[in-house]
Amino acid sequence: MSFTRRSFLKSTSLAIAGIGLARPVIANPLNEGGDGYLIVISTWDHGLPANEAAWKILEEGGTALDAVEAGVKVPEADPNVSTVGYGGFPDKSGKVTLDACIMDHLGQAGSVAFLQHIKHPISVARLVMEKTPHVMLTGKGALKFALKNGFKKEKLLTPEMKKEWKKWKKRGGQFKPTINIEDEINTNHDTIGMLALDADGKIAGACTTSGMAYKLHGRVGDSPIIGAGLYVDGEVGGAVATGSGELVMKTLGSFLVVELMRSGLNPKEACLEAVRRIIKKNPGYEQHQVGYIALNKKGGYGSFCIQKGFHYALKTNQFTGLKESEAFLKVR
Ligand code: SD4
């Protein structure tokens, strides 16, 4: 379907008026590529090595789905990444419990939540998608499914994290849901969410995390919830979230970003509107960070977050590196 600029703007403003939002004005080049344009985008600096693993697959003609799985497995396996997989912070009771989900261009989705003892929850999520009639498995059921399908039971709490947890308990064991705020680094920080576009123009996404540090045992965040931590629609694009999962869940943030792109917003505008939705609905939002990244099916990308300090990793043929996300609260 071809749009003139005028009909595009008209349909966009109508769509926005329909959902009661003011049109944001952002001068932002769309960075959209042509046919066969490859791109991978992911949250935080651990996205850099993750993007490299994903890129290798894309470059060899592999699928976006294989790329995002391989990409996020890098931080999942890294003991120095304290918020994803193996090296993740434990919950209040000292247990590492993991959340992950994956989604492809056809809208197929798989997810695991509150999974223990498995280093690569993203691969279990993919198996849920491909081998079961379900979307989501949790807790002991997810573990049983993983073990039955050849995954190894592993000890996830690293000695460093055990030490941190003990120190935290000694300090009084207070849980703080204020996460991803840059002055508080090394506590409670950084899910990886990744989106990629392959040579066939197919888009896929993955999201994996150990969730909030010292959360209540049994707590599940946004990251494994389809539409909250991740959403992909092959006709439009995809989005992922990082930050305070409760705020993302209550606004179904990633789904909202994709729907806003469907209405005609570019990825950055859509992320900003999803941030605005959180701000409107959550009076205590200043105490939180949420960051969104989004990718449309033409390779246009963008991001927005609540407060300064969120960055994302980008890889295309022209660019490899980190980009700073624009923040709603400019100064902190
Ligand atoms: C959660 N959204 O479990 C995750 C945490 C996170 O960057 O993204 N940290 O709420």
Side-chain angles (χ1 to χ4, degrees):
M1 179 165 51
S2 79
F3 266 128
T4 62
R5 178 160 171 79
R6 187 193 266 184
S7 71
F8 169 77
L9 289 175
K10 200 171 158 203
S11 68
T12 302
S13 51
L14 281 177
I16 293 166
I19 51 177
L21 297 169
R23 180 174 170 74
V25 181
I26 299 176
N28 182 39
L30 290 180
N31 305 306
E32 292 175 350
D35 282 351
Y37 182 71
L38 304 180
I39 177 167
V40 52
I41 180 168
S42 60
T43 53
W44 303 107
D45 46 3
H46 53 212
L48 289 171
N51 284 2
E52 292 304 320
W55 187 258
K56 197 163 173 283
I57 289 177
L58 295 179
E59 247 186 348
E60 288 166 359
T63 66
L65 186 65
D66 284 342
V68 293
E69 181 189 0
V72 302
K73 281 175 81 171
V74 174
E76 275 187 346
D78 186 342
N80 298 315
V81 174
S82 59
T83 46
V84 181
Y86 175 46
F89 274 103
D91 66 13
K92 185 177 180 182
S93 67
K95 304 213 163 57
V96 177
T97 74
L98 304 176
D99 297 337
C101 73
I102 193 159
M103 201 165 179
D104 73 6
H105 66 289
L106 297 171
Q108 302 189 96
S111 161
V112 289
F114 189 48
L115 176 62
Q116 294 182 62
H117 311 301
I118 300 290
K119 200 185 259 179
H120 290 299
I122 197 65
S123 299
V124 186
R126 183 166 176 179
L127 269 190
V128 172
M129 175 172 99
E130 291 176 341
K131 290 222 166 138
T132 79
H134 308 304
V135 169
M136 187 171 201
L137 293 180
T138 67
K140 283 189 180 149
L143 176 61
K144 212 167 155 191
F145 171 78
L147 297 176
K148 213 172 147 196
N149 282 283
F151 286 81
K152 261 198 348 233
K153 193 168 179 176
E154 300 188 55
K155 191 164 181 289
L156 295 187
L157 186 65
T158 60
E160 291 73 27
M161 279 299 133
K162 195 169 179 182
K163 244 201 253 162
E164 286 297 318
W165 172 65
K166 285 195 164 160
K167 275 201 263 172
W168 172 76
K169 290 223 324 180
K170 253 197 183 148
R171 289 198 306 270
Q174 288 300 318
F175 172 75
K176 262 174 94 186
T178 53
I179 63 174
N180 295 111
I181 295 174
E182 204 63 0
D183 347 15
E184 296 180 13
I185 34 175
N186 297 330
T187 55
N188 222 350
H189 199 292
D190 308 359
T191 290
I192 185 154
M194 176 181 280
L195 300 160
L197 199 58
D198 65 28
D200 290 333
K202 290 174 180 150
I203 187 168
C207 185
T208 176
T209 190
S210 51
M212 285 180 165
Y214 314 131
K215 61 195 176 186
L216 280 179
H217 187 63
R219 181 262 187 189
V220 169
D222 60 313
S223 303
I225 307 295
I226 299 298
L230 166 71
Y231 196 70
V232 171
D233 183 322
E235 291 171 19
V236 178
V240 292
T242 179
S244 298
E246 280 71 7
L247 274 57
V248 176
M249 291 159 95
K250 287 191 279 188
T251 51
L252 211 55
S254 292
F255 180 73
L256 179 59
V257 171
V258 172
E259 290 308 301
L260 288 163
M261 290 196 292
R262 192 194 306 278
S263 306
L265 296 199
N266 73 40
K268 184 174 173 182
E269 290 169 336
C271 292
L272 167 58
E273 283 306 332
V275 164
R276 281 194 175 143
R277 184 71 58 91
I278 287 177
I279 283 161
K280 195 171 157 201
K281 302 276 178 188
N282 295 276
Y285 72 89
E286 294 101 331
Q287 293 306 309
H288 292 267
Q289 172 66 303
V290 169
Y292 290 110
I293 56 172
L295 177 66
N296 69 25
K297 65 173 187 176
K298 292 187 198 145
Y301 63 87
S303 170
F304 224 94
C305 57
I306 296 179
Q307 43 203 320
K308 268 172 77 111
F310 171 50
H311 44 270
Y312 58 96
L314 177 71
K315 185 154 178 96
T316 68
N317 265 322
Q318 293 88 37
F319 182 88
T320 297
L322 288 175
K323 297 236 172 202
E324 191 70 26
S325 176
E326 213 175 301
F328 187 85
L329 298 173
K330 305 284 181 216
V331 186
R332 208 183 151 80

